[in-house]
Amino acid sequence: MSQKQQLPPLPYEFSALEPVISAQIMELHYTKHHQTYVNNLNAALEKQQAAEDNNDVAALIALQSAIKFNGGGHVNHSIFWTNLAPKGEGGEPSSELKKALTEQFGSVESFIEQMTATTLAIQGSGWGWLGYDKQKKKLCISTCSNQDPLSMTGQVPLLGIDVWEHAYYLQYKNVRADYLKNIWQVINWKNVSDRFAKALIA
């Protein structure tokens, strides 16, 4: 991978998601945590290139953990930022997505309850996801530990919720449930619907 990975542009101001997510959290999360994943990924990819050039298989194997963790952190956060929007700007699920959520989970409201409960139950750090299983042609609620990307399970990621403590602790302390309850106010359903539409035809 010759081209370095870069922090993607944030589609809104740090303060745009207040009061659900504070500007302080957004700035730290984006400029420190996500940037660190990008920096560490680029460093690991440079070492991987050197190992490939030297035909150093042992070094290539040793680098996979760092590439998976930091690459996953970069991929996951790049989706996460677009899954969020200022209150009142995220719209509603498209008719196609609403129909699929209703068929799979009973209603949009029931889906939100189920995804919230599943994500709340994650032990330690990780992510809650709404994904689309192309083989089974169905929506799925899944969880991934640490920074493992949902794509590793074969699903197309549509909506991810970060429950690493750095995503909420400065504001919500140890009450993850309040963070998960409130984050639905700033979900960008337009983005999720667009991802769903693309997953159906890809």
Side-chain angles (χ1 to χ4, degrees), residues 172-183:
Y172 293 94
K173 308 308 182 196
N174 63 324
V175 190
R176 181 187 284 180
D178 285 353
Y179 162 69
L180 290 173
K181 175 184 176 183
N182 291 336
I183 199 170

Side-chain angles (χ1 to χ4, degrees), residues 19-197:
V20 175
I21 303 176
S22 71
Q24 182 187 26
I25 286 178
M26 286 300 300
E27 184 172 4
L28 285 169
H29 200 169
Y30 177 75
T31 66
K32 302 299 183 183
H33 292 280
H34 191 173
Q35 184 67 66
T36 298
Y37 295 128
V38 171
N39 294 344
N40 290 341
L41 175 60
N42 284 325
L45 291 174
E46 286 183 10
K47 292 177 182 177
Q48 177 179 253
Q49 186 62 59
E52 288 177 351
D53 293 343
N54 295 320
N55 198 28
D56 189 342
V57 177
L60 287 171
I61 294 170
L63 285 165
Q64 294 313 299
S65 178
I67 292 172
K68 175 185 174 184
F69 179 77
N70 293 290
H74 179 38
V75 168
N76 291 341
H77 284 87
S78 296
I79 295 171
F80 183 56
W81 307 134
T82 65
N83 279 165
L84 303 175
K87 289 178 69 172
E89 295 184 18
E92 300 291 335
S94 66
S95 58
E96 294 81 7
L97 178 58
K98 184 175 181 179
K99 179 182 178 182
L101 289 170
T102 301
E103 290 176 349
Q104 195 68 42
F105 305 106
S107 66
V108 175
E109 293 73 21
S110 180
F111 155 70
I112 291 173
E113 291 175 1
Q114 292 178 52
M115 182 160 172
T116 298
T118 300
T119 307
L120 180 62
I122 292 174
Q123 294 184 342
S125 300
W127 290 74
W129 287 99
L130 171 67
Y132 182 68
D133 188 318
K134 294 177 70 67
Q135 288 191 332
K136 297 180 180 178
K137 299 186 185 304
K138 60 182 286 188
L139 295 171
C140 303
I141 295 173
S142 303
T143 62
C144 293
S145 300
N146 299 313
Q147 293 296 352
D148 292 357
L150 183 68
S151 56
M152 290 178 58
T153 70
Q155 296 179 38
V156 179
L158 306 179
L159 169 62
I161 298 180
D162 187 352
V163 288
W164 279 64
E165 285 191 342
H166 64 238
Y168 62 88
Y169 197 86
L170 286 175
Q171 186 172 355
Y172 293 94
K173 308 308 182 196
N174 63 324
V175 190
R176 181 187 284 180
D178 285 353
Y179 162 69
L180 290 173
K181 175 184 176 183
N182 291 336
I183 199 170
W184 295 102
Q185 299 176 46
V186 292
I187 294 299
N188 186 353
W189 287 110
K190 296 175 184 176
N191 179 264
V192 180
S193 298
D194 184 54
R195 290 179 181 277
F196 179 57

